[in-house]
Amino acid sequence: ISAKLPLIHCPRTLFLATNLTWTTKSKAWYVCRRALLLFKVNDADSINQSVTNKLSLNNKGGISGSADLKFTPVDGVTIKGSLGSGGDINAKVEHSGAVKGLKVAVNADIKDSVKAKGSFEYHFCSYAAATGSVDSTGKATATLSSSHEGMVAGVSAAFSAKKSLHDVVIKSSYSGHGVDVAAELSKNFDAVTLAASRALNSDTTVASEFKTSLSSLKHVFTVGAEKKLSATETARVKFNSDMHVSAAYTAKITSSATMKVSGTLNAANLAGDVHKVGAALSFKL
């Protein structure tokens, strides 16, 4: 369960109040602690700012929270920060506008250790872009992509300090007239994926996917379909060549509540304890 809590906003001052923990081991069902963080700015009217509180509930009976802060001190510079209830801190600085089409960013995660990452994104024309990143562990990526009238093509490469060239991925896709097709070559030219989908009407879509490994010659073929049962209900089903059958049903109960029931059946081993079934109920507060 996740929720966004409202922000108490006063001129020139931002108040953020949330720190909720829930434990089933204590005598009480929940323990609520309020933490107040005060952010003062020089001129609240001239700085684009926002603060968001988030809560999440896991299946072990625990609730974790985070506070996100975003503001723009000057044109072209955006600063984002996040503080989690577990003590983890994330900070990100983005800058754009110095060079037309170029955006650079520096990101840092602080928990048990400090992990940093620098990245860039450059749109050198209306239909082509290049991106890249490097982190404190010595891993780097570079991507070149182009798009035009429903066609998208791109190539990416990953590098590391231990292995100069880690992986190369080539992708291409087309979307239009109710049809989507895509092809991907990855894992240093060993894995091939072909996929296609078609909208039969406004309520029904069918799709298929073929995956193969050129080195092991292992193939997996999957077909599936999605059907909108009503304005609030959707059903999905898929079947692959490994004899796995999956189905899911999603219903929007109210404007803020959604229910999902799904399951997977291994038709090749009906007597085995390998089947899965699950249900979820989510709320937006």
Side-chain angles (χ1 to χ4, degrees), residues 1-8 16-18 20 50-57 63-68 256 283-285:
I1 301 174
S2 61
K4 290 186 177 181
L5 301 182
L7 169 69
I8 305 172
L16 179 63
T18 175
L20 180 63
S50 64
V51 177
T52 304
N53 300 343
K54 298 179 181 178
L55 294 177
S56 61
L57 171 64
I63 288 184
S64 60
S66 67
D68 299 330
S256 60
F283 298 89
K284 290 183 179 180
L285 303 180

Side-chain angles (χ1 to χ4, degrees), residues 117-211:
K117 181 179 180 180
S119 61
F120 78 91
E121 180 179 337
Y122 180 47
H123 294 264
F124 43 86
C125 61
S126 60
Y127 52 86
T131 62
S133 66
V134 59
D135 62 24
S136 55
T137 64
K139 295 181 179 180
T141 60
T143 302
L144 180 64
S145 61
S146 178
S147 62
H148 181 66
E149 295 183 353
M151 285 290 299
V152 179
V155 57
S156 65
F159 309 87
S160 65
K162 296 181 180 180
K163 188 177 181 181
S164 57
L165 182 60
H166 183 65
D167 190 16
V168 176
V169 178
I170 301 175
K171 295 182 179 180
S172 63
S173 65
Y174 170 77
S175 179
H177 306 287
V179 177
D180 295 286
V181 293
E184 177 182 309
L185 183 63
S186 61
K187 295 183 179 179
N188 290 330
F189 311 106
D190 179 65
V192 179
T193 301
L194 303 174
S197 66
R198 178 174 176 79
L200 301 181
N201 50 53
S202 59
D203 297 328
T204 306
T205 302
V206 294
S208 62
E209 182 185 71
F210 175 75
K211 289 185 176 183

Side-chain angles (χ1 to χ4, degrees), residues 94-135:
E94 297 178 345
H95 177 62
S96 60
V99 177
K100 185 179 179 180
L102 176 65
K103 181 171 70 174
V104 296
V106 178
N107 189 81
D109 290 302
I110 305 173
K111 193 173 183 181
D112 298 329
S113 61
V114 179
K115 297 180 180 179
K117 181 179 180 180
S119 61
F120 78 91
E121 180 179 337
Y122 180 47
H123 294 264
F124 43 86
C125 61
S126 60
Y127 52 86
T131 62
S133 66
V134 59
D135 62 24

Side-chain angles (χ1 to χ4, degrees), residues 235-258:
R236 299 179 179 91
V237 62
K238 68 177 181 179
F239 174 80
N240 67 20
S241 56
D242 288 338
M243 304 298 288
H244 292 168
V245 183
S246 300
Y249 169 78
T250 304
K252 191 172 184 180
I253 303 173
T254 66
S255 59
S256 60
T258 303

